[in-house]
Amino acid sequence: MSSKNAGAQSALSVTQQNTLHVHLRSKNHLLRALNPEENVHCWHGLYFQDGQRRVDYVLTYTMKKPGGGRSSRQSMHLLAENAVARSLRRGPHSRGEHVQHHQAQNTGGSSHLPSSAAADVELGCVGETFSVHEDHKAFRREEFEGKLREMGLELEKDEDTKIPGVGFVKIHAPWNVLCREAEFMKLKMPTKKVYEMKHSSGVMDKISSLVSKALEPLHPHVEEHQPKNIKHLSHTFSREKQHLFDLSDKDCFFDSKTRGSIVFEILKRTKCKAKYSMGITSLLGNGVYSAAYPLHDGDINDSAEANDRKLLYEEWANYSVFYKYQPIGLVRKYFGEKIGLYFAWLGLYTQMLIPASLVGVIVFLYGCATVDDNIPSMEICHPRNNITMCPLCDRVCSYWKLSSACGTARASHLFDNPATVFFSIFMALWAAMFMEHWKRRQMRLNYEWDLTGFEDEEDHPRAEYEFRVMQKSMNKDQKSQHKMEKLTCQDRLPAYTTNLVMMLLMIGVTFAIVFGVILYRISTKAALHMSSKITRNNVQLTVKTTAAIINLVVILILDEVYGAVARWLTVLEVPKTDKSFEERLIFKTFILKFFNAFTPIIYIAFFRGRLVGRPGSYLYVFESYRMEECAHGGCLMELCIQLSITMLGKQLIQNNLFEIGVPKLKKLIRYIRSKQGAYKEEERQKKLQRYETDHFLEPFAGLTPEYMEMIIQFGFVTLFVASFPLAPLFALLNNIIEIRLDAKKFVTELRRPVAARAKDIGIWYNILRGVAKVAVIINAFVISFTSDFIPRMVYQYMYSPDGSMHGFVNHTLSYFNVSHFQEGKETMDPLYLGYRVEICRYKDYREPPWSETDHWWNVVMLMSDVVDWLIPDIPKDISVQMHKEKILLVDLFMKEEQGKVQILESKSFTGGKDNCSRSNNNNSTIAHQRSGLHANSTNSF
């Protein structure tokens, strides 16, 4: 017993000494860190306390401060004592591990406190103030961090931060871990071998070089580490072939983006000892950790420090450089290939909008220039025109003169003229050109970014999926011993049924809202017609504009609702991987938001004015509301108003105002919650370290919202462009701002995303291609149904007596005897015009001759397919360079093999010589021995 007590006391004294040493060492590190002149990197929070090991990743968690008014030093001492007491209870083996753990911390300077002390669930009087739930989280953290150390990662805790109640775990990946994971992840890294990319000297290449020189001022001022025509030969990293790579500077061989992605890969697959315990995603979902993120590089406001983030802020995330190209290579270097591809796609889309905008403006100006020469609008506006039109609604509406629609007719010509048909065909071919151009651009980026042989590997199962599998397995174990390894379609059947029902319900809600707006227009029009005569002249414009604004507000609200519903439905399906989750979420969100944005426009384009009936036999809704009809200028003007208000409203309010205001508001709320709002912004930023500053930034939520708003805009630009030729221009102006706005958001407002590799934009390309195909059909239907282009052409070439448009307006109007009105539906003011009306006119020439427009949109569809076939997906120079790179890689390995063979041969040759010399020496020794023996024997005889 005495020996045991003595051993325990000695272990206790040794552990207490080590704990005190750790405490003093941590305190010295903290004091040294407070002096920025001694350790700049440590002060900024980019390195560990030793100033040597870089912080590659940060985990944050919520701390519950011990109560009772104790000082932090007393709390640390009590935590250490309880940790020692716990180690004693575990037995000799645990005590040895505990002492070794403290010694490792002393040599590495990895934390202010022992990790077991910070997470002990049996902390005595200090632990009494902790809830059981928080103790469990602390134990899970301790266990997870121990596993991370076993994986080779180095950790350093910081709980004495300037953010109350938040603790930080800084993670560093040493060189051997980086090499191991890079080989597992099959990362392509540049070798020592460099080669020159020679360009052909054809006429087109000379023209291209001249254009690039002329556009040189538009390129960002980003310093290139090597000339543009020089490229490193890349190969998948291998620890056995490290001699092929340039390892002169190991600190820079793996950049911060790659280091962060490697650590995140380890965090995802590291599991605790508990059964069915998942990686970091599960711990984040359960609240064990509150956040996990890599750090930004330095400060954008630090003039003394040069870093990629500051360079991106100056040359990319700045509105003053809106006219320049994006530094896509630097974006990819800092954020990864997936985000780099998004901004490359957005930049190309914006560039392609320039010619579309120019053509659209020309079409609009053509309509303005020819409005005074348009014969149908001249006939409507002629003062001698005495055509009396039938009432537009029952009872309260009166007869009206066709000349009162002069303004609407002239405005309709701006968007409904022969150039509109040309513009529709142009935009269909433009969409095909854009898709082909992007495929070529994407392939070029794949070559430049060493992604030519990259294949998406199967991702780790999501935490939710493994949890569901665990639940199914537990239920199965209760009934039988068979283990369920995956979720079947039968397991997901309730979720699929819920998805189908909810999707149909949400689409039905959209239709119901559109129907409600129709009732609003009908009732408001009737109410305004009952008011004074001054208001009646502006009834149509007032009703159209207010209805379009109501539609816009409803669309903005439902967009947020549908986004949340789509995410909820996707979570119900429990997809296995993150990629599957993202694709399903994108599909549902696109369907719901597409119907939400375009249902009102589709109604105006294809249904309004076609379900009206005729005077004396109108179609009614609820037996009291008569279906609305288009003005005499046609529905195209109303379609233009609805499209322009919806498009501009979504871009200005949703895409720009929300993106600027919402992140700033959330950041302000986090500051207030952290009780940091009492300090000034500048002072706080000076005091906080890098990982503390990044904690206040908005978490990265993925690229789905960014792509989605651009896809919807692409629909506005292509689907109904026949009714609004200025749509590409407004999209171009919006995207010029959007690029810099998104860039500033990524650089300054969001935490740094984990770099993800990708060789294409995924499912978004298929959605774009589908929208481009549908656009051809919809524009053909707009011209056929909504526009008056086809009826005018038919009248001019088939019914006009002189081959002109004179008499077209009268040709499209039918006659109606007012005595045939249904009882109770006639106007209350038959003498509104000053005389009694016996015959009124109404527009009845609605359907165009289908024989003239049967297959013209098929021709446009065929032309877009021809464009797809003519333009190769891979540029010729890139194809040549890829072939050259393969040959150089083979030569490099052949030379390496020859070198190995020569080394082996030389070793075998020298080994043979040594063997020969050894055998000669042995023979001579044996001969001498024999001669000596013979002499001895002679002497003996």
Side-chain angles (χ1 to χ4, degrees):
M1 292 293 292
S2 60
S3 60
K4 290 183 179 180
N5 293 335
Q9 290 177 358
S10 62
L12 178 62
S13 60
V14 170
T15 310
Q16 285 179 337
Q17 290 176 2
N18 289 333
T19 304
L20 180 62
H21 183 64
V22 170
H23 175 62
L24 294 175
R25 186 178 176 86
S26 302
K27 187 174 181 181
N28 292 333
H29 281 310
L30 181 61
L31 292 174
R32 188 174 61 198
L34 293 178
N35 188 358
E37 295 180 357
E38 293 183 6
N39 201 333
V40 177
H41 294 305
C42 181
W43 168 251
H44 287 301
L46 294 174
Y47 287 79
F48 278 17
Q49 293 290 348
D50 56 13
Q52 300 296 324
R53 292 173 292 175
R54 185 180 182 88
V55 178
D56 298 320
Y57 216 86
V58 172
L59 305 177
T60 69
Y61 56 92
T62 303
M63 295 188 305
K64 190 171 183 180
K65 290 293 184 181
R70 292 189 181 92
S71 65
S72 60
R73 183 178 300 179
Q74 291 174 340
S75 301
M76 293 167 64
H77 180 67
L78 289 171
L79 288 170
E81 287 185 350
N82 282 277
V84 172
R86 186 185 177 192
S87 66
L88 291 175
R89 289 195 299 269
R90 289 175 178 171
H93 180 70
S94 300
R95 287 199 302 271
E97 289 183 349
H98 197 74
V99 172
Q100 291 176 3
H101 178 63
H102 280 297
Q103 291 175 351
Q105 286 181 329
N106 293 340
T107 56
S110 62
S111 72
H112 297 293
L113 283 173
S115 62
S116 59
D120 203 327
V121 296
E122 303 172 18
L123 289 180
C125 58
V126 178
E128 291 174 0
T129 61
F130 284 75
S131 65
V132 177
H133 190 58
E134 293 297 326
D135 291 344
H136 178 68
K137 290 182 180 179
F139 179 75
R140 293 281 298 276
R141 286 196 295 270
E142 178 187 6
E143 187 180 8
F144 183 70
E145 290 162 15
K147 286 290 185 179
L148 293 181
R149 291 189 180 95
E150 293 178 4
M151 295 292 293
L153 298 178
E154 298 177 1
L155 277 60
E156 179 179 270
K157 278 192 175 182
D158 186 2
E159 295 185 347
D160 188 16
T161 65
K162 299 175 181 63
I163 306 177
V166 178
F168 294 87
V169 179
K170 294 174 282 185
I171 302 176
H172 169 77
W175 172 256
N176 61 331
V177 174
L178 293 174
C179 293
R180 181 192 70 202
E181 297 298 323
E183 185 172 350
F184 290 166
M185 296 170 64
K186 300 179 181 180
L187 297 181
K188 269 192 172 183
M189 304 301 293
T191 63
K192 298 177 183 178
K193 178 71 175 179
V194 295
Y195 66 95
E196 182 179 1
M197 295 184 294
K198 296 182 180 180
H199 298 284
S200 57
S201 58
V203 177
M204 295 301 298
D205 295 294
K206 290 182 179 179
I207 295 175
S208 178
S209 62
L210 291 176
V211 172
S212 61
K213 289 181 180 179
L215 298 178
E216 189 67 28
L218 300 181
H219 290 278
H221 300 294
V222 180
E223 295 183 1
E224 298 286 346
H225 296 287
Q226 61 186 21
K228 292 183 178 180
N229 60 337
I230 299 297
K231 188 177 185 298
H232 276 274
L233 188 64
S234 298
H235 185 258
T236 305
F237 185 81
S238 173
R239 286 173 289 181
E240 296 180 355
K241 292 181 169 48
Q242 289 192 26
H243 58 279
L244 297 178
F245 304 93
D246 185 9
L247 303 180
S248 57
D249 187 1
K250 292 185 177 180
D251 293 335
C252 297
F253 183 73
F254 295 106
D255 56 13
S256 59
K257 174 253 304 181
T258 306
R259 297 173 72 98
S261 62
I262 287 176
V263 173
F264 180 68
E265 191 69 21
I266 297 175
L267 293 175
K268 282 200 302 183
R269 71 167 187 262
T270 300
K271 300 182 180 181
C272 300
K273 297 178 182 178
K275 190 178 181 182
Y276 303 114
S277 177
M278 280 67 77
I280 187 61
T281 54
S282 175
L283 298 177
L284 289 171
N286 295 330
V288 177
Y289 291 100
S290 56
Y293 52 88
L295 294 182
H296 279 291
D297 288 348
D299 193 352
I300 58 176
N301 298 318
D302 190 355
S303 58
E305 183 183 359
N307 53 71
D308 290 341
R309 187 189 184 197
K310 182 181 177 182
L311 189 60
L312 283 172
Y313 181 76
E314 294 173 350
E315 295 294 332
W316 183 49
N318 199 331
Y319 293 108
S320 61
V321 294
F322 72 92
Y323 60 92
K324 290 186 177 182
Y325 291 103
Q326 300 181 84
I328 296 298
L330 187 60
V331 174
R332 172 253 179 179
K333 178 185 175 184
Y334 191 79
F335 291 109
E337 288 79 8
K338 193 170 185 178
I339 295 177
L341 282 173
Y342 163 71
F343 281 103
W345 174 83
L346 181 58
L348 179 64
Y349 171 48
T350 304
Q351 292 176 28
M352 291 290 290
L353 283 173
I354 295 177
S357 302
L358 292 176
V359 177
V361 171
I362 293 173
V363 170
F364 179 74
L365 293 178
Y366 171 81
C368 295
T370 59
V371 66
D372 293 330
D373 300 330
N374 184 37
I375 297 176
S377 61
M378 290 172 60
E379 290 183 349
I380 294 175
C381 298
H382 199 278
R384 295 184 180 180
N385 186 359
N386 197 27
I387 299 178
T388 302
M389 303 297 294
C390 296
L392 296 175
C393 61
D394 294 338
R395 302 292 292 167
V396 296
C397 296
S398 303
Y399 301 105
W400 55 286
K401 292 292 186 180
L402 182 60
S403 57
S404 63
C406 175
T408 305
R410 290 174 61 87
S412 297
H413 179 73
L414 301 178
F415 306 99
D416 188 5
N417 54 69
T420 305
V421 180
F422 160 76
F423 190 56
S424 299
I425 299 174
F426 170 81
M427 288 304 295
L429 298 179
W430 172 87
M433 289 287 293
F434 165 61
M435 302 302 294
E436 293 306 308
H437 196 179
W438 167 245
K439 283 197 293 187
R440 293 169 60 85
R441 171 70 169 153
Q442 188 173 255
M443 185 56 65
R444 187 177 295 274
L445 291 177
N446 284 343
Y447 167 72
E448 294 176 357
W449 295 351
D450 299 320
L451 295 171
T452 49
F454 172 73
E455 294 293 338
D456 291 331
E457 298 180 0
E458 187 172 352
D459 201 359
H460 298 286
R462 297 175 63 248
E464 293 81 358
Y465 178 84
E466 291 192 353
F467 182 73
R468 283 289 302 275
V469 171
M470 178 264 292
Q471 287 183 324
K472 292 291 182 180
S473 300
M474 292 176 65
N475 295 335
K476 194 76 173 178
D477 291 339
Q478 293 177 358
K479 300 177 182 179
S480 63
Q481 298 298 323
H482 299 286
K483 188 175 180 181
M484 192 172 188
E485 296 183 355
K486 64 179 181 178
L487 297 180
T488 62
C489 293
Q490 185 177 0
D491 299 325
R492 291 193 173 101
L493 185 60
Y496 290 154
T497 305
T498 305
N499 270 259
L500 180 61
V501 172
M502 287 298 298
M503 291 285 287
L504 295 177
L505 178 62
M506 293 297 102
I507 294 174
V509 168
T510 303
F511 290 158
I513 291 175
V514 171
F515 184 71
V517 175
I518 294 172
L519 296 181
Y520 162 80
R521 277 198 293 257
I522 296 172
S523 58
T524 304
K525 186 186 298 182
L528 291 178
H529 274 290
M530 295 176 64
S531 59
S532 61
K533 295 183 179 179
I534 299 177
T535 309
R536 293 186 185 185
N537 297 329
N538 301 318
V539 166
Q540 293 288 340
L541 183 60
T542 303
V543 172
K544 294 172 188 175
T545 306
T546 55
I549 293 175
I550 292 174
N551 268 323
L552 171 63
V553 174
V554 172
I555 287 172
L556 294 179
I557 295 174
L558 288 184
D559 264 354
E560 302 301 321
V561 175
Y562 287 165
V565 170
R567 178 169 291 276
W568 173 66
L569 293 176
T570 309
V571 170
L572 285 181
E573 292 184 10
V574 197
K576 184 176 181 179
T577 62
D578 289 330
K579 182 179 179 181
S580 177
F581 181 90
E582 184 181 21
E583 290 181 348
R584 297 182 186 211
L585 176 62
I586 289 170
F587 178 75
K588 295 182 184 66
T589 307
F590 172 74
I591 293 296
L592 293 176
K593 291 192 174 185
F594 181 86
F595 274 97
N596 184 38
F598 291 103
T599 299
I601 300 173
I602 291 174
Y603 163 74
I604 295 175
F606 301 132
F607 297 99
R608 184 175 179 179
R610 285 162 180 79
L611 304 174
V612 178
R614 59 177 179 80
S617 181
Y618 284 115
L619 179 65
Y620 291 91
V621 181
F622 301 137
E623 298 183 357
S624 57
Y625 294 101
R626 199 176 91 187
M627 288 298 294
E628 56 185 349
E629 55 184 310
C630 299
H632 188 76
C635 285
L636 202 66
M637 186 62 193
E638 299 181 26
L639 179 62
C640 176
I641 293 174
Q642 179 68 54
L643 183 62
S644 59
I645 291 179
T646 304
M647 179 180 178
L648 296 179
K650 279 180 65 67
Q651 291 184 167
L652 294 176
I653 298 175
Q654 189 177 42
N655 298 354
N656 294 329
L657 186 61
F658 284 2
E659 288 190 10
I660 296 174
V662 172
K664 291 186 179 296
L665 181 61
K666 290 183 178 179
K667 186 177 180 181
L668 178 62
I669 292 174
R670 280 195 297 272
Y671 277 136
I672 295 174
R673 286 182 177 177
S674 64
K675 301 179 182 179
Q676 298 290 317
Y679 300 98
K680 293 182 180 180
E681 176 76 14
E682 295 181 0
E683 293 298 325
R684 179 171 59 249
Q685 292 296 338
K686 290 179 181 178
K687 293 181 180 180
L688 294 180
Q689 297 193 11
R690 178 77 268 151
Y691 53 88
E692 296 172 326
T693 305
D694 287 2
H695 176 73
F696 288 110
L697 299 179
E698 182 75 10
F700 175 64
L703 291 171
T704 300
E706 315 299 334
Y707 273 114
M708 187 62 66
E709 64 183 66
M710 289 295 106
I711 296 296
I712 297 296
Q713 184 200 86
F714 183 77
F716 284 126
V717 169
T718 56
L719 291 178
F720 295 92
V721 73
S723 62
F724 190 39
L726 295 180
L729 175 63
F730 288 114
L732 173 63
L733 297 177
N734 173 80
N735 288 3
I736 291 174
I737 301 174
E738 180 74 19
I739 290 176
R740 306 304 164 180
L741 182 62
D742 284 348
K744 191 172 183 179
K745 182 173 67 174
F746 272 84
V747 174
T748 63
E749 300 292 337
L750 296 178
R751 292 173 187 164
R752 188 174 184 178
V754 178
R757 290 184 294 172
K759 63 178 182 179
D760 52 40
I761 60 176
I763 192 176
W764 296 111
Y765 180 81
N766 298 328
I767 294 176
L768 282 169
R769 193 173 183 85
V771 171
K773 294 291 185 182
V774 173
V776 178
I777 302 174
I778 286 185
N779 279 293
F781 284 176
V782 167
I783 294 173
S784 302
F785 280 99
T786 314
S787 170
D788 282 338
F789 175 77
I790 300 298
R792 286 197 297 263
M793 296 291 290
V794 172
Y795 173 80
Q796 183 176 359
Y797 293 107
M798 295 184 65
Y799 298 101
S800 176
D802 55 356
S804 66
M805 292 301 297
H806 289 287
F808 171 74
V809 174
N810 187 63
H811 177 74
T812 60
L813 298 178
S814 299
Y815 295 88
F816 178 73
N817 192 331
V818 298
S819 61
H820 295 163
F821 271 122
Q822 295 176 352
E823 184 178 355
K825 304 297 183 181
E826 66 276 1
T827 179
M828 293 187 300
D829 190 7
L831 300 177
Y832 174 74
L833 297 178
Y835 57 88
R836 183 171 295 277
V837 178
E838 296 181 356
I839 299 295
C840 65
R841 309 289 295 275
Y842 66 98
K843 190 175 181 180
D844 194 32
Y845 188 68
R846 298 176 181 270
E847 302 300 331
W850 285 104
S851 59
E852 300 293 328
T853 62
D854 196 11
H855 300 293
W856 80 272
W857 58 270
N858 286 333
V859 176
V860 179
M861 188 80 75
L862 179 62
M863 292 172 63
S864 63
D865 291 336
V866 169
V867 170
D868 188 1
W869 176 71
L870 288 177
I871 301 177
D873 294 344
I874 304 178
K876 185 177 180 180
D877 59 329
I878 296 299
S879 179
V880 172
Q881 295 296 339
M882 289 170 60
H883 182 67
K884 179 181 178 181
E885 192 169 297
K886 289 181 180 179
I887 295 175
L888 290 175
L889 199 60
V890 171
D891 292 342
L892 180 65
F893 282 107
M894 289 300 296
K895 289 180 181 179
E896 181 190 7
E897 292 296 326
Q898 291 175 1
K900 288 182 179 179
V901 171
Q902 291 177 359
I903 292 174
L904 292 175
E905 289 178 351
S906 62
K907 286 184 178 180
S908 62
F909 180 73
T910 55
K913 283 187 174 181
D914 293 340
N915 292 333
C916 291
S917 62
R918 288 197 190 99
S919 62
N920 292 334
N921 292 333
N922 292 334
N923 293 334
S924 62
T925 303
I926 293 171
H928 285 297
Q929 290 176 351
R930 287 178 177 176
S931 62
L933 290 173
H934 181 71
N936 291 334
S937 62
T938 305
N939 293 332
S940 63
F941 282 108

